[in-house]
Amino acid sequence: MARRRGGPAPATAVASPAVLGTVAVMGFVYYSTVFVFLDHWVGLATPAGAAHVAAVSLAVAACFLAFVCAAGADPGAVPPAFAPDAEAAQGQGLKSRYCDKCCMFKPPRTHHCKVCKRCVLKMDHHCVWINNCVGYANYKAFIICILNATIGSLYSFAIFLCDLLLKEHDFDILYVKILYILAGVLLFFLSLTIGSLLCWHIYLLCHNMTTIEYREAVRARWLAKKSGQKYRHRFDLGIRKNIQMILGPNILCWLCPTATGHLKDGTEFQITNN
């Protein structure tokens, strides 16, 4: 077995214009939804208004918590003394890889990030909006973040439409008109883009695949089809196991971004028998 020593590298995410902009968008969406659209539609003092405020606040708070976890966590650093097990790698059909930039061996599914300037375990991509890589240790928080962001965006957009269509407005006032146009465009854009991103990562999650591996699998699938074979991603263990590997075995903890006790060192992964 390979020796593995050393702890994870410090988190790479720091405050940046993109991160501050993302937080500002959250604040703007919450303020406009609660104190403008919802207040004008049903009123905050009514039972319906209070229920909507609680639901919107819960969605935004859950999204913000997951965002902080994804942005502030170390996505996964290669242990300093990692050395590949040559026999195990050959048995799994994997090749030992060496990073010339980091001057160290890379475990399976590990890639070098040009932005972070280091190798990241099970790297999916570098996300500018969290100013951090999405990797082995923070992928769960990232998934939960975009899930809550999608729910919150769709919910806010629905409240915006209800207020716009069911109540009368005085759009002769310039700032009111600007606020509704800006918020409507923003909520529609957020719902569409973040919802599409969520669908994409649900697909990857169900196939235990990263964005990088999907790009590599396109060619592998084409070669397999050309030779009359059926391609299957080597780490695809079935939908149930794939989800449990990311979100954990306890379904009650799936939506908790800090429940990552099921994660190991990120240097070894089970391979499908097919």
Side-chain angles (χ1 to χ4, degrees):
M1 294 292 294
R3 296 179 301 167
R4 300 174 182 86
R5 296 193 300 270
T12 59
V14 294
S16 70
V19 171
L20 296 177
T22 302
V23 175
V25 168
M26 291 185 193
F28 175 76
V29 169
Y30 181 78
Y31 175 83
S32 59
T33 301
V34 173
F35 298 104
V36 180
F37 311 138
L38 192 56
D39 188 26
H40 185 263
W41 176 35
V42 293
L44 301 182
T46 63
H52 283 300
V53 169
V56 173
S57 299
L58 179 61
V60 173
C63 179
F64 182 75
L65 174 62
F67 175 81
V68 171
C69 292
D74 189 322
V78 180
F82 171 81
D85 190 328
E87 295 182 359
Q90 291 178 359
Q92 295 178 344
L94 302 173
K95 297 181 180 179
S96 298
R97 301 179 303 154
Y98 188 82
C99 180
D100 295 327
K101 297 181 178 63
C102 296
C103 299
M104 63 190 305
F105 283 100
K106 296 187 293 185
R109 316 183 79 177
T110 298
H111 296 273
H112 185 87
C113 176
K114 297 180 180 178
V115 180
C116 297
K117 301 186 186 306
R118 69 183 180 111
C119 289
V120 176
L121 297 175
K122 196 187 175 186
M123 178 179 173
D124 186 271
H125 69 288
H126 183 90
C127 180
V128 65
W129 303 112
I130 64 173
N131 195 30
N132 197 8
C133 273
V134 177
Y136 181 73
N138 67 343
Y139 187 66
K140 176 181 179 178
F142 178 77
I143 284 283
I144 296 174
C145 179
I146 59 177
L147 171 63
N148 290 321
T150 300
I151 295 173
S153 298
L154 290 173
Y155 194 9
S156 297
F157 190 52
I159 292 176
F160 165 78
L161 291 178
C162 289
D163 176 38
L164 183 66
L165 300 177
L166 300 179
K167 300 289 288 188
E168 295 183 357
H169 299 78
D170 185 7
F171 288 125
D172 292 334
I173 303 176
L174 182 59
Y175 77 87
V176 174
K177 182 184 296 185
I178 293 176
L179 176 63
Y180 272 79
I181 293 176
L182 180 61
V185 172
L186 179 62
L187 288 173
F188 175 79
F189 177 77
L190 289 176
S191 301
L192 181 62
T193 56
I194 301 178
S196 300
L197 181 64
L198 175 63
C199 293
W200 166 246
H201 279 282
I202 288 177
Y203 170 83
L204 295 178
L205 174 66
C206 292
H207 291 81
N208 196 8
M209 187 181 295
T210 67
T211 300
I212 296 175
E213 289 170 347
Y214 175 82
R215 295 170 181 169
E216 296 172 346
V218 172
R219 175 172 172 77
R221 187 178 291 106
W222 177 79
L223 291 174
K225 184 178 180 180
K226 186 177 181 181
S227 60
Q229 299 177 346
K230 185 177 180 180
Y231 172 80
R232 182 175 181 180
H233 183 51
R234 62 161 59 96
F235 300 108
D236 187 355
L237 305 176
I239 294 179
R240 180 171 173 269
K241 287 187 176 181
N242 292 341
I243 295 177
Q244 289 179 342
M245 289 184 66
I246 304 299
L247 302 182
N250 187 354
I251 192 173
L252 298 179
C253 298
W254 279 8
L255 297 182
C256 179
T258 59
T260 56
H262 61 285
L263 297 180
K264 300 179 181 179
D265 64 357
T267 61
E268 293 181 346
F269 298 92
Q270 186 178 348
I271 304 294
T272 180
N273 294 325
N274 294 332

Short mmCIF file of all heavy atoms in Angstrom, two decimals, residues 33-53:
data_model
loop_
_atom_site.label_atom_id
_atom_site.label_comp_id
_atom_site.label_asym_id
_atom_site.label_seq_id
_atom_site.Cartn_x
_atom_site.Cartn_y
_atom_site.Cartn_z
N THR A 33 -37.29 40.52 -2.95
CA THR A 33 -38.36 39.53 -2.84
C THR A 33 -39.22 39.78 -1.61
O THR A 33 -40.46 39.77 -1.69
CB THR A 33 -37.77 38.11 -2.78
OG1 THR A 33 -37.00 37.85 -3.96
CG2 THR A 33 -38.88 37.07 -2.65
N VAL A 34 -38.56 40.00 -0.47
CA VAL A 34 -39.29 40.13 0.80
C VAL A 34 -39.89 41.53 0.98
O VAL A 34 -41.10 41.68 1.21
CB VAL A 34 -38.37 39.79 1.98
CG1 VAL A 34 -39.07 40.08 3.32
CG2 VAL A 34 -37.95 38.32 1.92
N PHE A 35 -39.06 42.55 0.85
CA PHE A 35 -39.48 43.90 1.23
C PHE A 35 -40.10 44.71 0.09
O PHE A 35 -40.57 45.82 0.33
CB PHE A 35 -38.29 44.66 1.81
CG PHE A 35 -37.74 44.03 3.06
CD1 PHE A 35 -36.56 43.30 3.02
CD2 PHE A 35 -38.41 44.15 4.26
CE1 PHE A 35 -36.06 42.72 4.17
CE2 PHE A 35 -37.91 43.57 5.42
CZ PHE A 35 -36.73 42.85 5.38
N VAL A 36 -40.11 44.15 -1.13
CA VAL A 36 -40.76 44.85 -2.25
C VAL A 36 -41.90 44.01 -2.80
O VAL A 36 -43.08 44.36 -2.66
CB VAL A 36 -39.74 45.18 -3.36
CG1 VAL A 36 -40.45 45.90 -4.52
CG2 VAL A 36 -38.61 46.06 -2.81
N PHE A 37 -41.59 42.88 -3.42
CA PHE A 37 -42.62 42.08 -4.09
C PHE A 37 -43.59 41.45 -3.10
O PHE A 37 -44.81 41.55 -3.26
CB PHE A 37 -41.97 41.00 -4.96
CG PHE A 37 -40.88 41.51 -5.85
CD1 PHE A 37 -39.70 40.80 -6.01
CD2 PHE A 37 -41.03 42.70 -6.54
CE1 PHE A 37 -38.70 41.27 -6.83
CE2 PHE A 37 -40.04 43.19 -7.36
CZ PHE A 37 -38.85 42.45 -7.51
N LEU A 38 -43.05 40.77 -2.10
CA LEU A 38 -43.91 40.07 -1.15
C LEU A 38 -44.73 41.06 -0.30
O LEU A 38 -45.92 40.84 -0.06
CB LEU A 38 -43.07 39.17 -0.26
CG LEU A 38 -43.81 38.15 0.61
CD1 LEU A 38 -44.70 37.26 -0.24
CD2 LEU A 38 -42.81 37.30 1.38
N ASP A 39 -44.08 42.12 0.12
CA ASP A 39 -44.79 43.12 0.93
C ASP A 39 -45.92 43.77 0.14
O ASP A 39 -47.01 44.01 0.66
CB ASP A 39 -43.79 44.17 1.40
CG ASP A 39 -44.42 45.13 2.40
OD1 ASP A 39 -45.38 44.73 3.09
OD2 ASP A 39 -43.96 46.29 2.48
N HIS A 40 -45.67 44.02 -1.15
CA HIS A 40 -46.70 44.65 -1.98
C HIS A 40 -47.80 43.66 -2.36
O HIS A 40 -48.96 44.05 -2.53
CB HIS A 40 -46.06 45.23 -3.24
CG HIS A 40 -47.01 46.00 -4.10
ND1 HIS A 40 -47.63 45.43 -5.20
CD2 HIS A 40 -47.46 47.28 -4.02
CE1 HIS A 40 -48.41 46.35 -5.76
NE2 HIS A 40 -48.32 47.47 -5.07
N TRP A 41 -47.46 42.40 -2.49
CA TRP A 41 -48.43 41.40 -2.94
C TRP A 41 -49.41 41.00 -1.84
O TRP A 41 -50.62 41.14 -1.99
CB TRP A 41 -47.68 40.17 -3.47
CG TRP A 41 -48.56 39.03 -3.88
CD1 TRP A 41 -49.80 39.12 -4.45
CD2 TRP A 41 -48.28 37.65 -3.72
NE1 TRP A 41 -50.32 37.86 -4.67
CE2 TRP A 41 -49.40 36.93 -4.24
CE3 TRP A 41 -47.20 36.93 -3.22
CZ2 TRP A 41 -49.44 35.54 -4.25
CZ3 TRP A 41 -47.24 35.55 -3.25
CH2 TRP A 41 -48.36 34.87 -3.75
N VAL A 42 -48.90 40.49 -0.70
CA VAL A 42 -49.78 40.01 0.36
C VAL A 42 -49.56 40.72 1.69
O VAL A 42 -50.39 40.60 2.60
CB VAL A 42 -49.63 38.48 0.57
CG1 VAL A 42 -50.14 37.73 -0.64
CG2 VAL A 42 -48.18 38.12 0.87
N GLY A 43 -48.43 41.45 1.81
CA GLY A 43 -48.13 42.11 3.08
C GLY A 43 -47.36 41.21 4.02
O GLY A 43 -47.69 40.02 4.15
N LEU A 44 -46.36 41.75 4.68
CA LEU A 44 -45.51 40.94 5.54
C LEU A 44 -46.19 40.59 6.86
O LEU A 44 -45.81 39.62 7.53
CB LEU A 44 -44.20 41.68 5.83
CG LEU A 44 -43.35 42.04 4.61
CD1 LEU A 44 -42.07 42.72 5.05
CD2 LEU A 44 -43.05 40.82 3.77
N ALA A 45 -47.21 41.37 7.26
CA ALA A 45 -47.87 41.13 8.55
C ALA A 45 -48.96 40.07 8.46
O ALA A 45 -49.48 39.63 9.50
CB ALA A 45 -48.47 42.44 9.07
N THR A 46 -49.32 39.64 7.27
CA THR A 46 -50.36 38.63 7.11
C THR A 46 -49.78 37.23 7.34
O THR A 46 -48.57 37.02 7.21
CB THR A 46 -50.97 38.70 5.70
OG1 THR A 46 -49.95 38.39 4.75
CG2 THR A 46 -51.52 40.09 5.43
N PRO A 47 -50.62 36.25 7.68
CA PRO A 47 -50.11 34.88 7.85
C PRO A 47 -49.43 34.34 6.59
O PRO A 47 -48.39 33.67 6.68
CB PRO A 47 -51.38 34.09 8.19
CG PRO A 47 -52.31 35.09 8.79
CD PRO A 47 -52.04 36.37 8.06
N ALA A 48 -50.03 34.62 5.42
CA ALA A 48 -49.42 34.16 4.17
C ALA A 48 -48.07 34.83 3.95
O ALA A 48 -47.10 34.18 3.52
CB ALA A 48 -50.36 34.45 3.00
N GLY A 49 -48.01 36.14 4.23
CA GLY A 49 -46.76 36.85 4.07
C GLY A 49 -45.68 36.33 4.99
O GLY A 49 -44.52 36.15 4.59
N ALA A 50 -46.03 36.05 6.26
CA ALA A 50 -45.05 35.53 7.22
C ALA A 50 -44.54 34.16 6.80
O ALA A 50 -43.35 33.85 6.95
CB ALA A 50 -45.69 35.46 8.60
N ALA A 51 -45.44 33.33 6.26
CA ALA A 51 -45.04 32.00 5.80
C ALA A 51 -44.07 32.10 4.63
O ALA A 51 -43.06 31.38 4.56
CB ALA A 51 -46.27 31.19 5.41
N HIS A 52 -44.36 32.99 3.68
CA HIS A 52 -43.47 33.18 2.54
C HIS A 52 -42.12 33.74 2.99
O HIS A 52 -41.07 33.34 2.46
CB HIS A 52 -44.12 34.12 1.53
CG HIS A 52 -45.18 33.49 0.69
ND1 HIS A 52 -44.94 32.41 -0.13
CD2 HIS A 52 -46.50 33.79 0.55
CE1 HIS A 52 -46.04 32.08 -0.76
NE2 HIS A 52 -47.01 32.89 -0.36
N VAL A 53 -42.13 34.67 3.93
CA VAL A 53 -40.87 35.23 4.44
C VAL A 53 -40.01 34.13 5.06
O VAL A 53 -38.80 34.06 4.84
CB VAL A 53 -41.15 36.34 5.48
CG1 VAL A 53 -39.85 36.73 6.20
CG2 VAL A 53 -41.74 37.55 4.81
#
